[in-house]
Amino acid sequence: MNSLRTSQYNFRRREQRARESLDERFQRRSARNAADRLRRARARSDQQMANRVNSQAETNVSEHDCGMMTEICNVCRALYWRNELNSSNMYTKCCHDGKVRLPNLAETPDFLKELLTNNSLEAINYQKHIREYNAALAFASMGAEVKSPPGNGPYCFRIHGQIYHRIAPLYSNEKFKPGYRQLYIFDASEASSQRL
């Protein structure tokens, strides 16, 4: 039924267009083109407004500084910022006032310590690509616009904008090469060669 109505409608339109003069055809096309130009201009204007709002939102963000961590937990000696006191004026988020005891951290392996502190070519390369190495060995990879802080010091990064995680499909195929959590399913030697 609908196809019959559609074909009848199209037939009537063709007959009307055959009867219209060149001036009427020109006016109809001009009106349609003007409407298209107006629609495109509105879309452009909306996009420009959205871009303006996004750029203002990102440039008007002031940097917050919590200051130095100068306060110390009396039980476990953890560091706190001054405003982290609880309602009883104590710092207890670390060990719950001595109720939680964690074993001391193991000593950092010498090879890793050298990569993090030396100025050899290997160490510089490692420090420069430390996030890529971490992502290659992780179940998911974090993505963000990273802004490096000025000056020298221990490795750290600050994030500007949105944080997102990249994960590969559960199973690889010819379209997606194995990555992230898929590599933990392989044999250990095969996974290492795939990671790096």
Side-chain angles (χ1 to χ4, degrees), residues 122 125-127 129-138 196:
E122 265 185 340
N125 180 52
Y126 180 76
Q127 292 165 14
H129 299 287
I130 192 168
R131 289 192 66 229
E132 288 89 345
Y133 288 125
N134 184 53
L137 301 171
L196 305 172

Side-chain angles (χ1 to χ4, degrees), residues 63-129:
E63 186 174 314
H64 179 74
D65 184 9
C66 295
M68 298 293 291
M69 296 178 87
T70 56
E71 307 303 310
I72 300 173
C73 171
N74 294 330
V75 179
C76 69
R77 314 300 293 160
L79 294 175
Y80 282 94
W81 283 284
R82 184 170 305 246
N83 293 332
E84 287 187 288
L85 285 170
N86 64 11
S87 58
S88 60
N89 287 332
M90 296 181 68
Y91 300 104
T92 59
K93 291 180 183 174
C94 48
C95 64
H96 287 281
D97 205 21
K99 295 175 187 159
V100 175
R101 297 253 181 217
L102 297 176
N104 291 332
L105 293 174
E107 187 66 28
T108 307
D110 290 336
F111 179 69
L112 186 57
K113 195 183 292 185
E114 287 177 21
L115 287 175
L116 292 170
T117 58
N118 282 354
N119 288 328
S120 67
L121 289 176
E122 265 185 340
I124 291 170
N125 180 52
Y126 180 76
Q127 292 165 14
K128 185 176 181 182
H129 299 287

Side-chain angles (χ1 to χ4, degrees), residues 28-44:
R28 182 176 47 81
R29 287 184 178 171
S30 294
R32 186 179 62 207
N33 290 342
D36 285 347
R37 278 194 300 276
L38 182 62
R39 183 181 42 78
R40 284 194 300 268
R42 281 186 185 146
R44 245 189 334 269

Side-chain angles (χ1 to χ4, degrees), residues 171-184:
Y171 298 105
S172 63
N173 57 28
E174 53 277 343
K175 187 177 179 184
F176 298 105
K177 70 177 194 165
Y180 308 120
R181 66 179 179 258
Q182 295 167 349
L183 299 175
Y184 288 90

